[in-house]
Every structure is written in C-alpha cells, then in structure tokens.
Amino acid sequence: DTAVSQTPKYLVTQMGNDKSIKCEQNLGHDTMYWYKQDSKKFLKIMFSYNNKELIINETVPNRFSPKSPDKAHLNLHINSLELGDSAVYFCASSYTGEEQFFGPGTRLTVL
Amino acid sequence: GENVEQHPSTLSVQEGDSAVIKCTYSDSASNYFPWYKQELGKRPQLIIDIRSNVGEKKDQRIAVTLNKTAKHFSLHITETQPEDSAVYFCAANAGGTSYGKLTFGQGTILTVHP
C-alpha cells in the first residue's frame, strides 16, 4: 500500500509550457512538502503545507505555485517552464515535522 | 538560515570495512538531525535520526553521533555490504521549528566494493 505517491513519474515538455505534478499521502500526516533535487543530487525544500496552510515558502520563482485541496494532497503547478526547471521533484509528508516520508519523485525534463 | 556541510562527497570502501560521513551545521537552535539513504533512481529514505538531547544512537550496523558544542554529527556504518552503496544525506532542522524545515547536506556517494 503506497504511503506517498506522485504522478506522473516522468514529465517531458517544451520550454514555455505549463505543467502540474500531483502528490497524495495516505499516512494521515498533517504536513506535506515539495523538494527539488537538481542534477548534482542537491535536495532543497521549496514549499510546505500544514493542514492546507502554506507554512514554508522558500525563494522560488513565482512561476511555481503549490496548492493543497486537503491535507492528504499537495500539487505543484509550474508556469512558463524553463530549461533550469529540469530536475527531480519529490513530495514528502510528515506527522511530527521530523521524520519525513518521500514520494517516488517526478523527473521533469524541459526541452 | 541553517547551513549544512557534508564530507566527503565520495567514499569508496571494501566490503566489511567501516564508513564514516561527517556533517557540520550552523544554527545552534537546530535540534533534529536525520540521515537519509537514496539508492539510484529511488526516493530518499530515513535510516536513522538523532535529537539534540542524545549524544549517540545505534541501530544494528549504523550509528550516529552528535557533538552539539562543535555543531557536528556523523554517520558510522560498520561491516559495510555492497547493498549499502547509495547516496547518503545528512540534514538539520531550522532553529527548532515544529514544521520540519530540513536543510540537507550535499550528499555522499558511498561505494562498497565486493
């Protein structure tokens, strides 16, 4: 039974397009996160929601907009995609704010 | 904000040897330090963590030590096996926040040769 799931697993698109990545967790956690892992494997937090409320918003271009319809879902919408947006995006969730469970990742390639 | 430095960036050992990965952090208010293992093409997975009220924690072949005064913590893997080969990340939470803003180190690529 998958704990944190993401769709799609792979996303290949052209520069300038708009795309969304979806995340769902069935762990009953209150907090969800989006991370970006670049080509050098560096993991950096982008956003976090606690009970549908945005609580962490790092220095991310405003082309990136997270949305949390309920505490089990956190989606990421990206407008006007750029080459530098190519990366693996991980969703994660946590109950205590400490142990974080990661999703399988979405590999985004912008051509 | 928090800054986490991790060394070495790559580590190559023979099966059965020990491996040690070290991290330093900058925020003296950080109180939670997890270690994640990421196999090729997979998600990061928590393997061990330590809180600031503890100096050492062990779980079978892995252990983590924390020196709050020096602001560094280390991962120790004993009797390494080929399946330990992966990228390992340390992390620290930001100033005791309750929402888990983790700052990750740069990662260490561990290769265990049979």
mmCIF file of all heavy atoms in Angstrom, chain B residues 82-111:
data_model
loop_
_atom_site.group_PDB
_atom_site.id
_atom_site.type_symbol
_atom_site.label_atom_id
_atom_site.label_comp_id
_atom_site.label_asym_id
_atom_site.label_seq_id
_atom_site.Cartn_x
_atom_site.Cartn_y
_atom_site.Cartn_z
ATOM 1 N N PRO B 82 27.761 -4.525 -0.066
ATOM 2 C CA PRO B 82 27.513 -3.876 -1.366
ATOM 3 C C PRO B 82 26.158 -3.159 -1.426
ATOM 4 O O PRO B 82 26.044 -2.105 -2.065
ATOM 5 C CB PRO B 82 27.585 -5.041 -2.351
ATOM 6 C CG PRO B 82 28.532 -5.989 -1.713
ATOM 7 C CD PRO B 82 28.258 -5.907 -0.232
ATOM 8 N N GLU B 83 25.173 -3.691 -0.714
ATOM 9 C CA GLU B 83 23.848 -3.057 -0.740
ATOM 10 C C GLU B 83 23.801 -1.743 0.051
ATOM 11 O O GLU B 83 22.791 -1.026 0.021
ATOM 12 C CB GLU B 83 22.755 -4.008 -0.238
ATOM 13 C CG GLU B 83 23.061 -4.678 1.055
ATOM 14 C CD GLU B 83 23.695 -6.057 0.886
ATOM 15 O OE1 GLU B 83 24.524 -6.233 -0.047
ATOM 16 O OE2 GLU B 83 23.360 -6.952 1.685
ATOM 17 N N ASP B 84 24.898 -1.413 0.755
ATOM 18 C CA ASP B 84 24.985 -0.104 1.405
ATOM 19 C C ASP B 84 25.354 0.991 0.398
ATOM 20 O O ASP B 84 25.285 2.181 0.724
ATOM 21 C CB ASP B 84 26.039 -0.112 2.525
ATOM 22 C CG ASP B 84 25.662 -1.031 3.671
ATOM 23 O OD1 ASP B 84 24.444 -1.191 3.936
ATOM 24 O OD2 ASP B 84 26.575 -1.594 4.310
ATOM 25 N N SER B 85 25.764 0.602 -0.801
ATOM 26 C CA SER B 85 26.129 1.574 -1.832
ATOM 27 C C SER B 85 24.923 2.434 -2.180
ATOM 28 O O SER B 85 23.856 1.922 -2.539
ATOM 29 C CB SER B 85 26.645 0.865 -3.094
ATOM 30 O OG SER B 85 27.822 0.144 -2.816
ATOM 31 N N ALA B 86 25.082 3.759 -2.033
ATOM 32 C CA ALA B 86 23.980 4.701 -2.251
ATOM 33 C C ALA B 86 24.518 6.107 -2.004
ATOM 34 O O ALA B 86 25.693 6.291 -1.676
ATOM 35 C CB ALA B 86 22.827 4.419 -1.273
ATOM 36 N N VAL B 87 23.633 7.087 -2.152
ATOM 37 C CA VAL B 87 23.956 8.456 -1.738
ATOM 38 C C VAL B 87 23.357 8.673 -0.357
ATOM 39 O O VAL B 87 22.178 8.339 -0.126
ATOM 40 C CB VAL B 87 23.407 9.506 -2.724
ATOM 41 C CG1 VAL B 87 23.803 10.913 -2.272
ATOM 42 C CG2 VAL B 87 23.903 9.245 -4.138
ATOM 43 N N TYR B 88 24.148 9.176 0.561
ATOM 44 C CA TYR B 88 23.694 9.440 1.921
ATOM 45 C C TYR B 88 23.639 10.955 2.152
ATOM 46 O O TYR B 88 24.567 11.682 1.799
ATOM 47 C CB TYR B 88 24.637 8.790 2.937
ATOM 48 C CG TYR B 88 24.542 7.281 2.925
ATOM 49 C CD1 TYR B 88 25.211 6.532 1.952
ATOM 50 C CD2 TYR B 88 23.752 6.606 3.856
ATOM 51 C CE1 TYR B 88 25.103 5.152 1.913
ATOM 52 C CE2 TYR B 88 23.644 5.220 3.824
ATOM 53 C CZ TYR B 88 24.318 4.501 2.857
ATOM 54 O OH TYR B 88 24.196 3.135 2.820
ATOM 55 N N PHE B 89 22.540 11.393 2.741
ATOM 56 C CA PHE B 89 22.343 12.808 3.044
ATOM 57 C C PHE B 89 22.151 13.011 4.543
ATOM 58 O O PHE B 89 21.353 12.298 5.163
ATOM 59 C CB PHE B 89 21.080 13.357 2.352
ATOM 60 C CG PHE B 89 21.147 13.394 0.863
ATOM 61 C CD1 PHE B 89 20.633 12.349 0.106
ATOM 62 C CD2 PHE B 89 21.710 14.477 0.203
ATOM 63 C CE1 PHE B 89 20.676 12.376 -1.283
ATOM 64 C CE2 PHE B 89 21.756 14.514 -1.185
ATOM 65 C CZ PHE B 89 21.248 13.458 -1.921
ATOM 66 N N CYS B 90 22.849 13.991 5.086
ATOM 67 C CA CYS B 90 22.530 14.429 6.431
ATOM 68 C C CYS B 90 21.613 15.639 6.312
ATOM 69 O O CYS B 90 21.497 16.250 5.241
ATOM 70 C CB CYS B 90 23.788 14.788 7.204
ATOM 71 S SG CYS B 90 24.710 16.189 6.529
ATOM 72 N N ALA B 91 20.949 15.978 7.402
ATOM 73 C CA ALA B 91 20.070 17.145 7.403
ATOM 74 C C ALA B 91 19.952 17.678 8.824
ATOM 75 O O ALA B 91 20.214 16.950 9.795
ATOM 76 C CB ALA B 91 18.686 16.806 6.840
ATOM 77 N N ALA B 92 19.541 18.931 8.909
ATOM 78 C CA ALA B 92 19.291 19.539 10.211
ATOM 79 C C ALA B 92 18.034 20.386 10.104
ATOM 80 O O ALA B 92 17.787 20.995 9.051
ATOM 81 C CB ALA B 92 20.480 20.403 10.636
ATOM 82 N N ASN B 93 17.243 20.406 11.177
ATOM 83 C CA ASN B 93 16.047 21.238 11.112
ATOM 84 C C ASN B 93 16.410 22.676 11.453
ATOM 85 O O ASN B 93 17.431 22.956 12.077
ATOM 86 C CB ASN B 93 14.934 20.708 12.025
ATOM 87 C CG ASN B 93 15.265 20.850 13.496
ATOM 88 O OD1 ASN B 93 16.418 20.933 13.869
ATOM 89 N ND2 ASN B 93 14.238 20.847 14.332
ATOM 90 N N ALA B 94 15.563 23.592 10.993
ATOM 91 C CA ALA B 94 15.848 25.014 11.168
ATOM 92 C C ALA B 94 15.367 25.463 12.538
ATOM 93 O O ALA B 94 14.176 25.432 12.822
ATOM 94 C CB ALA B 94 15.158 25.822 10.081
ATOM 95 N N GLY B 95 16.284 25.836 13.393
ATOM 96 C CA GLY B 95 16.007 26.502 14.646
ATOM 97 C C GLY B 95 14.868 25.953 15.469
ATOM 98 O O GLY B 95 14.071 26.700 16.023
ATOM 99 N N GLY B 96 14.735 24.639 15.562
ATOM 100 C CA GLY B 96 13.711 24.078 16.425
ATOM 101 C C GLY B 96 12.307 24.305 15.932
ATOM 102 O O GLY B 96 11.353 24.238 16.696
ATOM 103 N N THR B 97 12.137 24.571 14.641
ATOM 104 C CA THR B 97 10.783 24.774 14.121
ATOM 105 C C THR B 97 9.998 23.472 14.198
ATOM 106 O O THR B 97 10.551 22.393 14.089
ATOM 107 C CB THR B 97 10.803 25.246 12.662
ATOM 108 O OG1 THR B 97 11.518 24.276 11.885
ATOM 109 C CG2 THR B 97 11.467 26.594 12.525
ATOM 110 N N SER B 98 8.720 23.591 14.360
ATOM 111 C CA SER B 98 7.906 22.391 14.511
ATOM 112 C C SER B 98 7.398 21.867 13.182
ATOM 113 O O SER B 98 6.786 20.820 13.126
ATOM 114 C CB SER B 98 6.721 22.687 15.420
ATOM 115 O OG SER B 98 5.952 23.734 14.858
ATOM 116 N N TYR B 99 7.650 22.557 12.099
ATOM 117 C CA TYR B 99 7.110 22.124 10.818
ATOM 118 C C TYR B 99 8.131 21.419 9.956
ATOM 119 O O TYR B 99 7.865 21.139 8.803
ATOM 120 C CB TYR B 99 6.508 23.299 10.067
ATOM 121 C CG TYR B 99 5.305 23.875 10.767
ATOM 122 C CD1 TYR B 99 5.217 25.226 11.028
ATOM 123 C CD2 TYR B 99 4.254 23.059 11.153
ATOM 124 C CE1 TYR B 99 4.122 25.751 11.667
ATOM 125 C CE2 TYR B 99 3.148 23.567 11.790
ATOM 126 C CZ TYR B 99 3.082 24.918 12.048
ATOM 127 O OH TYR B 99 1.984 25.434 12.684
ATOM 128 N N GLY B 100 9.309 21.145 10.500
ATOM 129 C CA GLY B 100 10.252 20.298 9.786
ATOM 130 C C GLY B 100 10.917 20.903 8.598
ATOM 131 O O GLY B 100 11.057 20.239 7.572
ATOM 132 N N LYS B 101 11.354 22.164 8.673
ATOM 133 C CA LYS B 101 12.126 22.700 7.568
ATOM 134 C C LYS B 101 13.527 22.135 7.684
ATOM 135 O O LYS B 101 14.319 22.546 8.519
ATOM 136 C CB LYS B 101 12.169 24.231 7.612
ATOM 137 C CG LYS B 101 12.966 24.804 6.452
ATOM 138 C CD LYS B 101 13.054 26.310 6.525
ATOM 139 C CE LYS B 101 14.029 26.819 5.489
ATOM 140 N NZ LYS B 101 14.188 28.286 5.561
ATOM 141 N N LEU B 102 13.811 21.151 6.828
ATOM 142 C CA LEU B 102 15.116 20.494 6.836
ATOM 143 C C LEU B 102 16.042 21.129 5.814
ATOM 144 O O LEU B 102 15.646 21.370 4.682
ATOM 145 C CB LEU B 102 14.970 19.005 6.521
ATOM 146 C CG LEU B 102 14.253 18.130 7.546
ATOM 147 C CD1 LEU B 102 14.188 16.691 7.046
ATOM 148 C CD2 LEU B 102 14.939 18.184 8.892
ATOM 149 N N THR B 103 17.282 21.354 6.243
ATOM 150 C CA THR B 103 18.340 21.752 5.314
ATOM 151 C C THR B 103 19.247 20.544 5.155
ATOM 152 O O THR B 103 19.724 19.992 6.144
ATOM 153 C CB THR B 103 19.133 22.945 5.848
ATOM 154 O OG1 THR B 103 18.258 24.063 6.008
ATOM 155 C CG2 THR B 103 20.252 23.322 4.872
ATOM 156 N N PHE B 104 19.458 20.137 3.895
ATOM 157 C CA PHE B 104 20.233 18.935 3.610
ATOM 158 C C PHE B 104 21.679 19.273 3.283
ATOM 159 O O PHE B 104 21.991 20.343 2.735
ATOM 160 C CB PHE B 104 19.618 18.180 2.419
ATOM 161 C CG PHE B 104 18.378 17.410 2.772
ATOM 162 C CD1 PHE B 104 17.152 18.032 2.855
ATOM 163 C CD2 PHE B 104 18.443 16.045 3.036
ATOM 164 C CE1 PHE B 104 16.000 17.327 3.189
ATOM 165 C CE2 PHE B 104 17.304 15.335 3.368
ATOM 166 C CZ PHE B 104 16.092 15.971 3.453
ATOM 167 N N GLY B 105 22.578 18.329 3.626
ATOM 168 C CA GLY B 105 23.941 18.410 3.157
ATOM 169 C C GLY B 105 23.998 18.063 1.675
ATOM 170 O O GLY B 105 22.982 17.682 1.072
ATOM 171 N N GLN B 106 25.194 18.167 1.128
ATOM 172 C CA GLN B 106 25.364 17.999 -0.325
ATOM 173 C C GLN B 106 25.324 16.550 -0.786
ATOM 174 O O GLN B 106 25.280 16.279 -1.974
ATOM 175 C CB GLN B 106 26.681 18.644 -0.781
ATOM 176 C CG GLN B 106 26.763 20.128 -0.503
ATOM 177 C CD GLN B 106 27.354 20.442 0.861
ATOM 178 O OE1 GLN B 106 27.258 19.666 1.803
ATOM 179 N NE2 GLN B 106 27.970 21.607 0.961
ATOM 180 N N GLY B 107 25.375 15.623 0.185
ATOM 181 C CA GLY B 107 25.310 14.207 -0.169
ATOM 182 C C GLY B 107 26.691 13.577 -0.264
ATOM 183 O O GLY B 107 27.672 14.233 -0.628
ATOM 184 N N THR B 108 26.768 12.288 0.068
ATOM 185 C CA THR B 108 27.997 11.494 -0.055
ATOM 186 C C THR B 108 27.668 10.249 -0.849
ATOM 187 O O THR B 108 26.749 9.497 -0.481
ATOM 188 C CB THR B 108 28.530 11.073 1.330
ATOM 189 O OG1 THR B 108 28.896 12.249 2.068
ATOM 190 C CG2 THR B 108 29.723 10.139 1.201
ATOM 191 N N ILE B 109 28.390 10.045 -1.941
ATOM 192 C CA ILE B 109 28.203 8.833 -2.731
ATOM 193 C C ILE B 109 29.099 7.749 -2.129
ATOM 194 O O ILE B 109 30.328 7.851 -2.187
ATOM 195 C CB ILE B 109 28.585 9.058 -4.206
ATOM 196 C CG1 ILE B 109 27.729 10.185 -4.803
ATOM 197 C CG2 ILE B 109 28.398 7.764 -5.005
ATOM 198 C CD1 ILE B 109 28.166 10.606 -6.199
ATOM 199 N N LEU B 110 28.464 6.755 -1.514
ATOM 200 C CA LEU B 110 29.205 5.643 -0.913
ATOM 201 C C LEU B 110 29.198 4.459 -1.873
ATOM 202 O O LEU B 110 28.134 4.019 -2.314
ATOM 203 C CB LEU B 110 28.581 5.235 0.419
ATOM 204 C CG LEU B 110 29.168 3.990 1.087
ATOM 205 C CD1 LEU B 110 30.623 4.206 1.467
ATOM 206 C CD2 LEU B 110 28.349 3.570 2.302
ATOM 207 N N THR B 111 30.374 3.947 -2.165
ATOM 208 C CA THR B 111 30.507 2.743 -2.998
ATOM 209 C C THR B 111 31.199 1.676 -2.170
ATOM 210 O O THR B 111 32.301 1.921 -1.648
ATOM 211 C CB THR B 111 31.323 3.032 -4.269
ATOM 212 O OG1 THR B 111 30.728 4.116 -4.974
ATOM 213 C CG2 THR B 111 31.356 1.801 -5.168
#
